[in-house]
Amino acid sequence: MEAENKNKMHSENRKHETNAKKLEQEFSKEQIAISEKYSNQRDLVNTLLEEGKMYTLKTVDGMIDKYLKGKVM
């Protein structure tokens, strides 16, 4: 019975790791630029992101926010 509990816990840990990886999926500049989510900010995405690098959506959102806040006077 103890072995079953350990296996169940291990299985649940793997599920959490998989969910975390899905949330932190990375995309190329090209993928982000053509995505519907950033369709209104395509020029900004193309300016801020570098070719050949991978980005999470959270990172891109942060970069855009930082840029926009830096331009307010």
Side-chain angles (χ1 to χ4, degrees), residues 18-27 55-59:
T18 302
N19 289 339
K21 286 180 184 177
K22 286 180 185 176
L23 295 175
E24 294 298 322
Q25 187 173 1
E26 293 184 329
F27 301 93
Y55 300 90
T56 64
L57 299 182
K58 183 177 178 179
T59 300

Side-chain angles (χ1 to χ4, degrees), residues 5 16-18 21 34 36 38-40 54-55 62 68 72:
N5 287 339
H16 291 294
E17 289 173 11
T18 302
K21 286 180 184 177
I34 64 171
E36 188 174 324
Y38 296 103
S39 63
N40 292 331
M54 303 295 284
Y55 300 90
L68 293 175
V72 175

Side-chain angles (χ1 to χ4, degrees), residues 15-70:
K15 286 180 187 176
H16 291 294
E17 289 173 11
T18 302
N19 289 339
K21 286 180 184 177
K22 286 180 185 176
L23 295 175
E24 294 298 322
Q25 187 173 1
E26 293 184 329
F27 301 93
S28 68
K29 174 182 177 175
E30 294 78 18
Q31 290 173 310
I32 293 168
I34 64 171
S35 71
E36 188 174 324
K37 177 177 178 165
Y38 296 103
S39 63
N40 292 331
Q41 299 171 311
R42 193 160 287 136
D43 289 338
L44 189 54
V45 166
N46 281 318
T47 300
L48 294 175
L49 305 186
E50 295 180 36
E51 296 286 338
K53 283 194 170 184
M54 303 295 284
Y55 300 90
T56 64
L57 299 182
K58 183 177 178 179
T59 300
V60 175
D61 290 340
M63 292 172 74
I64 290 171
D65 286 344
K66 183 177 178 181
Y67 177 83
L68 293 175
K69 287 178 183 176

